Amino acid sequence: MNRKDTTYLTAKPGDIATAADLLRAGDLVAFPTETVYGLGGDARNGDAVAAIYSAKGRPSFNPLIAHVASIAAAKRYVVWSDEADRLAQAFWPGPLTLVLPLKPDHGISPLVTAGLDTLAVRVPAHETARALLTEFDGPVAAPSANPSGRISPTTADHVRGGLDGRIAAVLDDGPCGVGLESTIVGLADTPVLLRPGGLSADLIEACLGQPIGAYKQGDALSAPGQLLSHYAPDSSVRLNVVTPAGDEVLLGFGNVACDLNLSATGDLTEAAANLFSALHRLDASGRPIAVSPIPEKGLGLAINDRLRRAAAPRGI
Ligand code: TXA
Ligand code: MG
């Protein structure tokens, strides 16, 4: 990958117009969403999408989410359904991605879907993301703006640490509020939870009025990006630790003595918002990371999912 100077942009209207122009020219722009920073490129431009894979070093079988400004914009690309409508009306804009069948003549590059006949779509809630999508007026393919397999970015500095010199610009608008990637629900068939995320699955089930099956590692019906080792810091990660070993730094949860606490009051929403920043910070210490137990409920399901992947053996 050739080195290029990465421009730092702000959330001011002039900078958002610049970012939209870069997207139109087929360049890549990292931008904030309420979940994590995304690495955006025009989803209709195969060269731009190829550049996303190359900047991230991402396996090309792993498809991307198309970000759009509104439900009406999503309907241009996917076959809509009652379930899609119910979930979109309730949770868009927000941290929810829907996987739906592609429409004929959708115009999306096949590199976005990695050859599948479905598309993952999301309307993000972050004001700057929405301003960019509205100004660009087209679908933006955007994975998390980190090198493939590494910790997701929740600040522009995290993006800089991983991708500086590999992308045209980063739009900096502070830390992301939710801090975990979107929840992905497959609706091409019976509703299925493809990835737990920033919208708790109980809220989705309550909205649909039915339980949704969870995707399990190895299922044929999968989010292809759900590789076991992911979100990996350089340091090793050990989970459910009450007493850390001598050389370990402890990432705490709740009322515990630790090096860094995800939420001293045991608030899962606060813990989710702090998770990736905390992993970035503790990784910089160069010491092995131990993590306190985190309850398997609500957002704790998504937090534990990310932590298990961070702790998984590498290189698979
Ligand atoms: O919050 C988020 O979702 C962030 C922000 C930037 O929007 N994006 C994000 O993208 O997390 P990424 O690329 O890191 O994760 C996308 C996930 C992958 O696991 C991928 O396999 C799955 O979505 N996915 C994409 N298209 C799919 C499809 N057609 N069917 C099933 N899974 C799909
Ligand atoms: Mg990612």
Side-chain angles (χ1 to χ4, degrees):
M1 175 97 212
N2 291 335
R3 211 185 145 77
K4 42 175 116 181
D5 288 330
T6 300
T7 307
Y8 281 78
L9 300 171
T10 68
K12 294 195 189 109
D15 277 8
I16 286 176
T18 304
D21 283 342
L22 287 168
L23 290 175
R24 271 179 215 114
D27 284 318
L28 305 187
V29 178
F31 62 98
T33 82
E34 73 279 22
T35 61
V36 299
Y37 273 71
L39 176 57
D42 184 343
R44 300 159 299 193
N45 178 337
D47 290 340
V49 181
I52 294 177
Y53 284 108
S54 145
K56 278 183 65 90
R58 181 177 185 131
S60 56
F61 52 78
N62 190 353
L64 306 176
I65 297 170
H67 297 68
V68 292
S70 63
I71 293 180
K75 287 181 178 172
R76 278 185 225 147
Y77 307 107
V78 290
V79 181
W80 208 239
S81 64
D82 286 350
E83 283 147 341
D85 208 54
R86 215 176 306 161
L87 291 178
Q89 298 289 351
F91 302 117
W92 278 357
L96 171 69
T97 295
L98 301 177
V99 175
L100 291 157
L102 271 166
K103 265 188 169 170
D105 301 322
H106 49 79
I108 301 284
S109 161
L111 279 178
V112 172
T113 57
L116 298 172
D117 53 11
T118 52
L119 179 69
V121 276
R122 168 161 117 82
V123 178
H126 195 290
E127 246 181 70
T128 302
R130 299 189 55 158
L132 177 62
L133 291 168
T134 303
E135 176 81 23
F136 176 62
D137 194 23
V140 172
S144 49
N146 52 287
S148 190
R150 308 312 298 264
I151 308 168
S152 299
T154 53
T155 66
D157 271 355
H158 296 158
V159 178
R160 185 201 300 255
L163 297 176
D164 200 31
R166 305 175 130 222
I167 61 178
V170 180
L171 226 163
D172 184 350
D173 195 14
C176 304
V178 175
L180 285 177
E181 293 86 347
S182 60
T183 302
I184 306 181
V185 176
L187 291 177
D189 206 329
T190 321
V192 57
L193 180 68
L194 295 174
R195 177 178 73 183
L199 179 68
S200 165
D202 0 341
L203 296 177
I204 295 169
E205 293 185 332
C207 175
L208 288 175
Q210 66 177 100
I212 46 173
Y215 151 75
K216 301 225 171 37
Q217 192 75 31
D219 276 6
L221 221 191
S222 72
Q226 298 299 77
L227 300 175
L228 188 55
S229 173
H230 207 91
Y231 309 100
D234 285 324
S235 305
S236 64
V237 178
R238 201 162 68 88
L239 305 182
N240 295 314
V241 174
V242 176
T243 313
D247 56 340
E248 285 176 334
V249 281
L250 181 65
L251 178 57
F253 178 79
N255 183 16
V256 292
C258 58
D259 297 273
L260 199 59
N261 206 322
L262 287 172
S263 170
T265 57
D267 175 344
L268 289 167
T269 304
E270 184 186 16
N274 290 333
L275 177 68
F276 290 134
S277 264
L279 286 175
H280 277 281
R281 273 179 63 188
L282 292 183
D283 198 23
S285 74
R287 289 164 56 191
I289 300 169
V291 188
S292 294
I294 294 172
E296 283 279 357
K297 58 168 205 236
L299 284 183
L301 293 172
I303 295 172
N304 282 318
D305 169 80
R306 305 304 187 271
L307 284 169
R308 274 192 293 274
R309 291 173 205 285
R314 312 292 159 77
I316 56 169

